[in-house]
Amino acid sequence: MSNKKVAAGAFLAALAWGQLAWAGPPEPYKVTDDLVAAATKEASVVYYTSTDVQVAEKLGAAFEAHYPGIKVQVERAGSERVFQRIGQEYSSGIHNADIIETSDASHFLTFKEQNWLTPAVPEDVAKMWPEKDRDPDGFYAAFRATLTVIAYRTDLVKEGDAPKTWTDLLDPKYKGKLVKSHPGYSGNVMTATYALSQLLGWDYFEKLGKQGVMQVQSSTEPPKVLAQGERPIQADGNEYNVFILQDKGVPIKAVYPAEGTSIAYGNAAILAYAPHPNAAKLFYSFMFSQEAQQLNDDFGGLRSVRPDVKEKSNRTPLSQIKLLDSDPSNVRDAVEEIKQKYEEYFGT
Amino acid sequence: MSSPATSPYPWADRRLIRRRRIKLRGDQVTIAALSPDTANRRHLGRFDLSTPLFVLLAVVLCVLVLLPLFWLGYYALTNKAGSPTLANLARLFTDATIRRAFLISLGMAGCVGVFSCLVATPLAWLVARTDMPGQRLVRSLVTASFVTPPFLGAIAWAMLAAPNSGILNNIYRWAFGLDQSQALFNIYTFTGLVFAVTCYSFPFVFTLVANAFDKVPSDLEEASAILGGKPGTTLRRVTLPMVLPAMLAGSLVAIVQAFTMFGSPAILALPAGFHVLTTKIWSFFQFPPRLDLAAASAVPLLVVTMLLLWGQRWLLGRRGYTVLGGKSGTPRRVKLGNWKWLAGAYVLFILCVTILFPYLALLKVALTHNISEPLSWSSLTLHNFNFVLFEFSSTRLAIWNTLILGLATATIATGIALVVSYLVARRAVPGASLLGMLATAPIAIPGIVLGVGLFLAYANPTFGLYGTLWILLIAFLTIELPAGYQQLSSAFHGVHPELEEASRILGATRLKTLWQITAPLLRTSLIAAWCFVFIGTIRELSATVLLTTAQTKLVSVIIYDLNESGDYGAISVLGILLLVVSFTVVFIANKVPVLGGAAPRSGS
């Protein structure tokens, strides 16, 4: 009886204390031979991600090259879709995934509260990650940073005619020329929609909704739509896919509006019931390594918070861009409103 | 059970058979003495498994059909705390976004029904009642468009007819020297959606109407001709009225298909900025999921589908015009003369639009880096094949899962359908018709509704089936059973029971008879039903999209995922793989004699 009472008391206390109940971050861990051996025994790691599938598979391939015998299974969908999947799975007691990584930082607040994560701090994160880019209790850290930008085809739109600011997009001459991704699918766009609705008001989106935008889902898609030539201008979309396509020779250019550019921190974490705990730890540590972060930058066009990652010279340095930071907990509070308003103005 | 005097099938009466068996016992002993095998059979054969099997099937079918519907109703009528409420259903009327999606769905489905009928009827007439050459080929090519999953067709049409990058629009601009602002087609519109759905719904109308044309007795047409009716008059006043019920029934099937479809609207309507009911239901699953609203929104979908199907039954049941007497004489074939060029152009146009253009578009996009790149030797690349086959980690698992589920579903569903249609057709047990009703019922449940219901029913910790292939197998069995059952139950009417009777007289049980006599006789129908179910499984997306997880990915779902991030190259490669696998399986199933119990048996 008393045991039960104690347990119930502890449970209530945990509920009451909420986040304060965390014991602080665990000791940083190194990649030891034992960890590699145990991970190799598990033979695979399941990686739920919202990073563009070709970039994510590259990361997986780099890991496999380092640790032969461990397969990386990449499961890519939009941030909000990954959130839906992991939510459905964990609510139903299914534990498929080892690593989760989305570009909507507010998700990680929920994951942490639901006790869905395992605290783990790779050595590199402890040494090099700024405080603001990692969880104080060691549950997650920023794997990447993504900007949501305007972009246009330089061969189809003259530089003088290209939009310079967000409100430029409301000009009637752009009617029927814009493509835009969906906040109900993409974490970047969810964050950007929050930032812009704070900055410019919902009025901006109401007017944008009348511009005949082509509505796609993922924020990785608008740059691809530009490359196909389906639309010449993206009203919002990933910066990194613009870079990837630039590297492939597509005439496409990102615009950093004077009002500011929304930045979303894509956190990564190890799940609480990871079926391959050791492989998960190994992969998680690899994700923050210089090699992986540099690969993200070189091949994937992603921004890194790791100080020793060298950015390509043809890209505007992060320090020269006016950034709009969004507090994840504010984004979380606004999600329902954003979805509802968005459907009102854009139809879906 | 009917008495021997009134039953049209006296062999179905057990008492009679038992009496005959007693009479023949002497012979049986002789046979048993001659064949060592038969002695064993007789031993096992004493106990007829029909009744326990009936009970088992009834339970299985009840669970398959009724359990998800129960949970759907439960969630639609309760709030989060579990107390009953009408608030969810009330939301259907107060929430303008749901109402709008519902109306768009109805409008879209209605248009698809009308256009499918307008396209399919002339085609069916050309194939069935004229001397147009290549009729068999046309029939099988229309069937090929049935093998194409509608979502793949929709993506291919997005490649062809997107206003700016669409291949057809590019050709149009190039041919007439127009600038970029000109476009012939825009697939991302309501009209575009109706078009893309019609392309893959009209085969349903075509099949029904072509069959009806096949059966129109020539004597009525001859009578019309003798009385001075010109060919046009005969067609208008005699032939067409007789296939009218088939046209209407086929259109209703097309309407149901369009109304319950998820993939094509998700691919074409969302970029255009509108929802249909199925995509709206899917959006309720975004985390945190609104299961109550999803369940409530599924109710109108279910009700309208049931009404449409009821309408179809009513139409087919009104046999005022239709021909029940079977064929009387070979059908008269209209000589086309010089019209055959116009007819040929029409057929070619349909085949281009539904098969040739989409397949070529997939092939082109699979082999180039970029959709709007002009095709040349230097732009050819295997990059997309390399990515899908060697870099993309989901490919192998998804193809494997798809194959396993396709084969398992096809085999099990055909098996259940065979036994059920046998029990129903031969009235083997009391209440067998109930089984038939249960096996047909899922046709009224749209895929996405069933997906919601199955998720609610089996994802809970009691079953814990979510995340396994089992929940998908259950879903596919439920969805595909009606198709298999309808194929086989109609086939049973064509098999005379004499041979079964003989087998029963010799002491075989019903099941043994079914396995050794009836199944081999029904071989072609069995293979057709099997292929039907297999293809249906391969092209299923609406229930699948709610029920898969990372470990239970299917090709259809990864194509859908890739579409959401705009990876057309990878989609094309996967689409081509999916088509190749489907066609190969269908081909093998039709060629290998072992399948469908076709191997010759010494005993029969």
Side-chain angles (χ1 to χ4, degrees), chain A residues 48 57 74-76 81 84-85 87-89 94 96 185 215 218 221 224 227-230 339 343 347, chain B residues 97 162-165 271 273 280 285-287 370-372 391-393 466 549-551 553 561 564-565 567:
Chain A
Y48 278 26
E57 293 284 7
V74 175
E75 287 300 324
R76 193 273 159 187
R81 201 74 91 223
Q84 171 188 343
R85 271 196 194 147
Q88 273 184 28
E89 292 184 12
I94 294 166
N96 277 337
Y185 182 89
Q215 179 71 64
S218 173
E221 185 167 0
K224 296 175 196 171
Q228 286 159 16
E230 181 48 44
K339 280 188 192 165
E343 179 159 1
Chain B
T97 60
N164 300 305
S165 62
K280 186 73 193 163
F285 266 75
Q286 286 174 4
F287 203 81
N370 195 329
I371 181 168
S372 43
E391 291 179 11
F392 190 40
S393 50
Y466 176 62
T549 60
Q551 299 303 318
K553 272 281 170 67
D561 279 351
E564 287 187 320
S565 53
D567 292 294

Side-chain angles (χ1 to χ4, degrees), chain B residues 28 51 106 146 229 256 277 449 470 571:
Chain B
Q28 251 181 320
T51 310
L106 274 184
F146 177 70
V256 170
L277 196 54
V449 175
W470 293 107
I571 290 173

Side-chain angles (χ1 to χ4, degrees), chain A residues 190-248:
Chain A
M190 176 62 89
T191 314
T193 309
Y194 171 79
L196 289 183
S197 67
Q198 292 292 309
L199 190 73
L200 306 169
W202 278 109
D203 187 45
Y204 164 74
F205 286 101
E206 189 175 1
K207 288 177 184 153
L208 190 60
K210 299 195 175 98
Q211 286 287 62
V213 296
M214 175 182 177
Q215 179 71 64
V216 297
Q217 297 294 310
S218 173
S219 59
T220 64
E221 185 167 0
K224 296 175 196 171
V225 170
L226 262 55
Q228 286 159 16
E230 181 48 44
R231 294 286 166 116
I233 301 165
Q234 74 177 34
D236 62 29
N238 281 340
E239 182 201 37
Y240 70 91
N241 287 89
V242 173
F243 289 153
I244 295 174
L245 290 165
Q246 272 177 350
D247 290 349
K248 285 186 181 162

Side-chain angles (χ1 to χ4, degrees), chain A residues 33-89:
Chain A
D33 290 346
D34 287 349
L35 181 62
V36 175
T40 313
K41 219 172 188 176
E42 289 165 355
S44 74
V45 57
V46 181
Y47 173 34
Y48 278 26
T49 176
S50 70
T51 307
D52 185 88
V53 64
Q54 314 232 6
V55 180
E57 293 284 7
K58 264 282 187 291
L59 178 77
F63 177 79
E64 286 172 5
H66 259 275
Y67 304 103
I70 310 177
K71 288 290 289 174
V72 181
Q73 190 189 334
V74 175
E75 287 300 324
R76 193 273 159 187
S79 298
E80 309 305 318
R81 201 74 91 223
V82 172
F83 190 42
Q84 171 188 343
R85 271 196 194 147
I86 199 74
Q88 273 184 28
E89 292 184 12

